[in-house]
Amino acid sequence: MAAVAELPFLGAGVSFRPEWRWDVIRHRAELGLLEIIADDVVGPAGQRELLLLRDALPLLLHGIGLSLGSADGLDPARVDHFAQLVEIVRPPWVSEHIAFTRVAGVDIGHLTPLPFTREAIDTVARNVETLRSAVPNVPILLENIAYTFLPPGQEMSEAEFVRGVITTCDCGLLLDLENVHANARNHGYDPIEYLESLPLERAVEVHLAGGVEHDGIYADTHSRPVPEESWTLLQWLVTRTSLRAVIIERDNDLPRFEELLTEVSRASRMLHAHAR
């Protein structure tokens, strides 16, 4: 992968939701970029909307359903769809999760953690090569996920596993800091020690969101404002990396767009204060 500093600096933006379609256009001067979830773009109408949005501001393409951790390989139809959108969006990089969402051809509808093993790293690496062949010359970022359980047979820590995946696949790192906050809280580890164990020289993008606690478990629901714990992690990170973008995510209980812009502005100030 190319050096992070060679990628364009985009600033702070949001993950696209149709409810914010015209808000995004009206407030484009306050947004550095917009991230599109590839799986949400359906048919010619969805592709035409991408062209409209592309004319308004820079776009990134983010996958949630390629299932890079599936032992039976990637679904060719999903890969083709992703590649078609790359042609339309022309993003400076693309991203997906270190997880699986499909087993034996059946979609399970959830980002599920992989066992922290060498075999799982090799599986992700094979699938990343398939994706790379479909979208050549476009850097690929991989994202850490939140999890409340782990499959048996762990051979290493979460940080060692994520590092192994990123370096073996020769990919960039999309750090979801809310996932770091959630996992540290639920599994009892220090989030800064976790971050220090990752290949931060490959960190390109950050996701921020907010969750809720239920029965002693903190869930990354993308339904609340970004908590202060995650802002603290971003402040720590921007002084140590060459981050190119931060995305504020909301999936549920969508606020007024002006409220979201307050978080975008806060992230933008942090990024620009330490831009490299």
Side-chain angles (χ1 to χ4, degrees):
M1 177 181 158
V4 172
E6 297 176 7
L7 297 173
F9 180 87
L10 300 180
V14 299
S15 182
F16 179 67
R17 293 289 172 264
E19 293 87 343
W20 294 331
R21 181 178 292 106
W22 297 114
D23 291 303
V24 164
I25 302 299
R26 283 195 297 267
H27 294 280
R28 59 189 179 277
E30 299 165 71
L31 298 169
L33 71 156
L34 188 67
E35 189 161 75
I36 305 295
I37 296 177
D39 308 73
D40 290 346
V41 181
V42 179
Q47 295 184 8
R48 287 194 296 271
E49 182 167 63
L50 286 187
L51 293 173
L52 171 67
L53 295 171
R54 191 189 70 188
D55 288 342
L57 69 172
L59 302 184
L60 294 178
L61 194 63
H62 183 55
I64 60 174
L66 285 175
S67 196
L68 295 179
S70 287
D72 51 351
L74 302 185
D75 178 357
R78 287 184 177 271
V79 174
D80 288 346
H81 175 70
F82 196 87
Q84 289 172 5
L85 298 186
V86 168
E87 288 292 321
I88 295 171
V89 172
R90 300 196 297 266
W93 63 81
V94 298
S95 57
E96 244 290 1
H97 299 82
I98 304 173
F100 69 95
T101 58
R102 195 180 70 258
V103 178
V106 177
D107 287 320
I108 57 180
H110 184 73
L111 292 169
T112 306
L114 293 161
F116 299 154
T117 64
R118 184 69 237 180
E119 181 180 9
I121 291 174
D122 292 340
T123 295
V124 175
R126 287 195 301 272
N127 289 331
V128 165
E129 283 308 305
T130 299
L131 178 61
R132 187 171 275 137
S133 296
V135 291
N137 305 315
V138 181
I140 297 172
L141 313 186
L142 301 180
E143 179 182 355
N144 59 301
I145 70 165
Y147 58 91
T148 55
F149 74 95
L150 280 175
Q154 311 309 313
E155 299 172 356
M156 60 191 80
S157 69
E158 178 191 348
E160 290 170 329
F161 177 71
V162 172
R163 171 182 283 275
V165 169
I166 296 296
T167 55
T168 300
C169 297
D170 191 24
C171 287
L173 178 60
L174 194 172
L175 264 173
D176 190 313
L177 292 181
E178 176 64 357
N179 288 347
V180 174
H181 165 228
N183 290 343
R185 186 164 168 173
N186 291 331
H187 302 290
Y189 63 70
D190 186 298
I192 297 298
E193 289 183 5
Y194 171 84
L195 291 174
E196 288 176 331
S197 299
L198 299 181
L200 295 181
E201 71 280 0
R202 292 176 177 261
V204 176
E205 181 184 344
V206 159
H207 280 179
L208 292 173
V212 297
E213 184 170 341
H214 183 68
D215 291 337
I217 299 295
Y218 184 82
D220 174 28
T221 57
H222 291 188
S223 62
R224 296 293 184 272
V226 178
E228 285 303 316
E229 293 91 338
S230 293
W231 287 117
T232 298
L233 294 180
L234 179 61
Q235 184 61 57
W236 182 92
L237 190 65
V238 294
T239 65
R240 293 162 173 81
T241 60
S242 299
L243 287 178
R244 317 318 281 165
V246 173
I247 294 293
I248 307 296
E249 298 183 297
R250 280 291 187 93
D251 294 341
N252 304 296
D253 298 334
L254 300 183
R256 293 175 58 251
F257 198 72
E258 288 75 12
E259 295 178 30
L260 202 70
L261 287 176
T262 301
E263 294 185 299
V264 171
S265 177
R266 183 174 180 179
S268 181
R269 290 194 301 271
M270 288 186 181
L271 268 182
H272 282 86
H274 300 281
R276 301 182 184 183

